[in-house]
Amino acid sequence: MKKTITQFSRLFVGILFIISGLIKLNDPLGFSYKLDEYFSEPVFNMPFFVPYSLAIALFLVILEVVLGVMLLIGYKSKLTIWLLLLLIIEFTFLTFYSAYFDVVKDCGCFGDALHLTPWQSFSKDIVLLFFILILFFNKKLIKPLFTNKIQNILVLTSIALCSFMGYWVINHLPLKDFRPYKVGTNIRTDMSIPDNAPKSVVEMVFIYKVNGVDKEFTEKDLMSLPEGATFVDRKDKVIVQGYLPPIHDFKLELDGQDNTDMVLSKEKVLLVVAYDLEKANPEAMQNLEKLYKEAAAKGYYVSLLTGSSSEIIEATKKKHGFTFDFHFCDATALKTIERANPSFVILNYGTVKQKVHYNDIKDLNW
């Protein structure tokens, strides 16, 4: 019985680690954005790690896949299980912290393929911890499947393949797009809310400074505010989340005007997505004016979408001599559309027809 449970745990943990790791390895930039959230001031306040988020993300996801492979083939079982235990303890702490303090809404455990609430992610990690503890206390039952030479070749091959996959998707596109803006999506349709959709229940929370400390009060508490309390801010707290459409933060503004419908109603549109102009690839930016003229000659409306400030927009236009429109859009939404900075998206009446990385601009289908 003990052997059966141990071998089941071996298969369950190994396969789950490989699947979870590969999904994140398909989009390591997306996982690095999640790490940025954890490193941010409201969570762990470790901004010095932010420049290394992508490197850390790549290391963790490759480690996750390779440990899954090592467990399945029985490679150095003692070391493998110790590393799995340390990794799941770290993940369990992070998901508990996210859930209890309500700071990171989605840990990104399965990338964009499967969204879990913080408490669901924590529960998943508790289940994994349980099975890894079974492996930990029954390490002697984990036997290698092949000779040492074959084991070494399999582990090294998995490291090499994972490293190549990470390199490829960072410099091109994810092998599988799980995001709301994948090719074939009609943005306007996915922004709509059905008439019978459940509504959100929102409570207004007022922040007052009391004896030098910021404290939160609900509307009913305002009648009994402490003497000397001074108003600081007001925020909306979602008590019950209503229906949230797949695309809910796509809004294009030009000089304070909402041009979303105008852009989505055009037959031929080329969008240049650059969530942060200061971090955009310099070589790709230098070629945008030439690309704009080629697209305009073919009847395309061209616009660059960015989350950068108006001052940076004007400085960028002046530096490169850009003559096409720049629309402001939420940076998070732009990161969701495509990870490359810049990237290129072709729309046909609001439907995504093609997306390319700046390294693959020659592959644009006009």
Side-chain angles (χ1 to χ4, degrees):
M1 184 66 177
K2 181 189 291 187
K3 185 176 181 180
T4 302
I5 294 175
T6 302
Q7 297 308 319
F8 172 80
S9 301
R10 175 183 183 174
L11 287 171
F12 178 76
V13 174
I15 292 172
L16 195 61
F17 262 72
I18 291 172
I19 292 173
S20 173
L22 285 176
I23 289 174
K24 291 195 286 289
L25 187 56
N26 176 65
D27 183 17
L29 272 168
F31 185 49
S32 74
Y33 297 152
K34 286 297 174 185
L35 293 182
D36 286 344
E37 290 187 55
Y38 282 109
F39 296 146
S40 66
E41 183 178 349
V43 187
F44 293 122
N45 193 22
M46 296 189 292
F48 45 87
F49 278 127
V50 171
Y52 310 105
S53 292
L54 181 56
I56 295 171
L58 276 171
F59 172 77
L60 287 176
V61 297
I62 291 175
L63 178 63
E64 197 172 348
V65 176
V66 173
L67 284 177
V69 172
M70 289 168 63
L71 180 62
L72 290 180
I73 67 175
Y75 180 83
K76 296 187 182 299
S77 58
K78 187 175 180 179
L79 172 64
T80 299
I81 293 170
W82 264 109
L83 290 174
L84 285 168
L85 183 60
L86 292 174
L87 204 58
I88 198 59
I89 289 174
E90 177 192 356
F91 289 164
T92 303
F93 167 74
L94 291 176
T95 52
F96 172 76
Y97 192 94
S98 299
Y100 186 80
F101 293 100
D102 194 28
V103 285
V104 179
K105 304 299 183 183
D106 181 0
C107 72
C109 302
F110 293 99
D112 287 293
L114 176 63
H115 292 282
L116 300 178
T117 66
W119 284 117
Q120 287 173 335
S121 297
F122 174 68
S123 301
K124 179 264 299 178
D125 287 339
I126 289 294
V127 171
L128 271 173
L129 178 60
F130 170 77
F131 284 108
I132 291 174
L133 285 174
I134 291 176
L135 296 171
F136 182 79
F137 290 115
N138 296 280
K139 291 190 287 288
K140 292 182 180 180
L141 297 177
I142 306 298
K143 304 296 183 182
L145 298 182
F146 310 101
T147 63
N148 286 339
K149 183 177 181 180
I150 295 177
Q151 300 270 87
N152 289 333
I153 291 174
L154 289 174
V155 172
L156 291 174
T157 300
S158 66
I159 294 173
L161 290 176
C162 286
S163 300
F164 177 76
M165 180 177 173
Y167 168 82
W168 179 267
V169 297
I170 287 174
N171 288 281
H172 300 279
L173 294 179
L175 300 178
K176 175 69 175 177
D177 192 351
F178 294 103
R179 287 161 293 169
Y181 298 88
K182 58 183 175 292
V183 173
T185 298
N186 184 277
I187 297 176
R188 193 193 303 274
T189 300
D190 278 18
M191 288 173 62
S192 61
I193 300 177
D195 294 334
N196 59 348
K199 308 296 182 183
S200 296
V201 178
V202 180
E203 179 183 57
M204 287 190 295
V205 176
F206 300 85
I207 302 174
Y208 279 80
K209 190 176 289 294
V210 181
N211 297 325
V213 179
D214 289 350
K215 293 188 176 182
E216 295 185 354
F217 298 87
T218 62
E219 283 186 279
K220 62 181 181 181
D221 295 330
L222 295 180
M223 300 299 296
S224 56
L225 275 176
E227 187 175 349
T230 56
F231 176 77
V232 175
D233 197 6
R234 184 191 74 82
K235 62 181 182 179
D236 294 331
K237 182 178 181 181
V238 179
I239 306 300
V240 178
Q241 179 66 61
Y243 174 79
L244 198 63
I247 297 176
H248 52 273
D249 49 6
F250 185 80
K251 183 179 180 180
L252 309 182
E253 294 183 3
L254 177 62
D255 298 328
Q257 181 176 340
D258 185 354
N259 281 356
T260 310
D261 285 337
M262 181 273 288
V263 173
L264 296 181
S265 64
K266 290 183 176 294
E267 180 183 4
K268 293 182 177 181
V269 175
L270 173 62
L271 298 179
V272 182
V273 180
Y275 71 90
D276 187 334
L277 291 171
E278 293 183 305
K279 296 180 180 179
N281 180 271
E283 184 178 348
M285 295 295 289
Q286 290 173 4
N287 296 322
L288 289 187
E289 184 66 19
K290 178 183 177 182
L291 180 67
Y292 157 65
K293 291 178 180 177
E294 291 178 7
K298 296 179 180 181
Y300 279 84
Y301 171 75
V302 179
S303 178
L304 186 146
L305 313 185
T306 184
S308 297
S309 67
S310 57
E311 292 78 13
I312 294 175
I313 290 175
E314 290 305 317
T316 302
K317 293 173 74 172
K318 183 177 180 180
K319 176 182 177 180
H320 296 285
F322 293 149
T323 56
F324 48 86
D325 289 340
F326 275 54
H327 280 89
F328 177 83
C329 184
D330 179 72
T332 301
L334 297 180
K335 287 180 180 180
T336 305
I337 294 173
E338 193 48 77
R339 308 305 192 193
N341 187 19
S343 56
F344 304 87
V345 181
I346 291 180
L347 299 181
N348 173 248
Y349 296 118
T351 297
V352 180
K353 305 302 291 185
Q354 189 184 16
K355 296 162 61 176
V356 301
H357 191 285
Y358 61 77
N359 286 330
D360 301 315
I361 190 66
K362 63 182 183 301
D363 295 332
L364 272 176
N365 295 324
W366 299 104

